[in-house]
Amino acid sequence: MDTIGQRIAYAMKLKGISNIDMADYLGVNASYIAKFKTDARRPNTFQIDKIAQKLDVTTDYLLGIEDTGLPYYVDILNENEKQGISLMNNINLSFLI
């Protein structure tokens, strides 16, 4: 079974969220997030909830209780489609406003 760090890393990759973005969201240092992703450090309960919200996944998914906590469309996508979503999440559309 995947660890919480592996699940955080995977969901962050899918959403195109960097360590810096997640760290800013949680109010911690980016190296702290890197430690989460390598299982060198475990997020606390409050952080798990915030991470799940930011990544649009369930806390049960992050904790390894269930494998279906990712957004429904992720399970049916191939690797190229997942990479495309990740790239699209990084496009800055502020010029349209």
Side-chain angles (χ1 to χ4, degrees):
M1 178 173 283
D2 296 336
T3 66
I4 188 170
Q6 292 170 328
R7 288 172 181 251
I8 289 171
Y10 180 69
M12 284 178 65
K13 181 179 177 183
L14 285 179
K15 294 283 285 185
I17 296 173
S18 70
N19 288 2
I20 294 171
D21 293 336
M22 184 62 77
D24 289 345
Y25 181 73
L26 294 176
V28 298
N29 190 296
S31 64
Y32 202 71
I33 302 303
K35 289 178 182 177
F36 287 168
K37 291 166 62 175
T38 59
D39 294 304
R41 184 171 193 112
R42 187 174 170 98
N44 64 38
T45 305
F46 174 76
Q47 291 166 332
I48 291 170
D49 188 51
K50 296 274 290 179
I51 292 168
Q53 289 174 21
K54 179 79 171 170
L55 297 176
D56 192 27
V57 299
T58 65
T59 55
D60 282 353
Y61 169 77
L62 290 181
L63 295 170
I65 296 169
E66 64 179 33
D67 290 330
T68 58
L70 287 171
Y72 71 93
Y73 55 82
V74 172
D75 293 334
I76 60 172
L77 299 178
N78 67 37
E79 210 44 51
N80 288 335
E81 292 167 325
K82 291 174 185 177
Q83 288 176 357
I85 288 172
S86 180
L87 290 173
M88 290 175 60
N89 283 330
N90 291 323
I91 296 174
N92 183 349
L93 299 177
S94 63
F95 67 90
L96 295 174
I97 299 173

